[in-house]
Amino acid sequence: MSGPGTITGTTLTVKNIAIGASGCTDNAGEQQQSVQEFLKRPIEQTFSDGTLTWKSGTDTLNFSKMTGGPGTAEPTANSTSSILGSTSSPIPGGGR
């Protein structure tokens, strides 16, 4: 999933979301739809105590470092509200 985004103040807006091939299985279609709906709305961003929080409507994603040994810190996405799927899923490549 990708699309051009703009940031105005603390609000991220994503337009023209394109969806490519997916390597996920099971209920990946439902999860993909939920994420797409999340990204279609303006996203308010805050950063506090090492956690980036995205809020879109009543849904929230928190990105923070995982604890562990050297070289193991990666951002994680923690979902709440109506976003389906795991409540904690690693972002490959450190979210870059």
Side-chain angles (χ1 to χ4, degrees):
M1 218 179 276
S2 67
T6 57
I7 297 176
T8 304
T10 59
T11 303
L12 168 65
T13 305
V14 181
K15 301 284 185 183
N16 303 320
I17 298 171
I19 300 173
S22 177
C24 298
T25 58
D26 297 334
N27 63 348
E30 292 175 22
Q31 291 175 350
Q32 187 173 357
Q33 182 66 29
S34 295
V35 171
Q36 188 174 7
E37 289 302 315
F38 181 90
L39 294 173
K40 283 182 178 179
R41 298 183 299 256
I43 300 166
E44 286 298 317
Q45 305 178 98
T46 57
F47 185 79
S48 179
D49 296 323
T51 299
L52 171 64
T53 301
W54 283 3
K55 182 165 177 47
S56 175
T58 59
D59 301 321
T60 302
L61 287 176
N62 295 307
F63 301 92
S64 59
K65 289 186 177 182
M66 294 174 55
T67 57
T72 61
E74 292 185 12
T76 59
N78 299 306
S79 65
T80 59
S81 194
S82 62
I83 295 180
L84 303 175
S86 170
T87 58
S88 179
S89 56
I91 298 173
R96 296 177 196 200

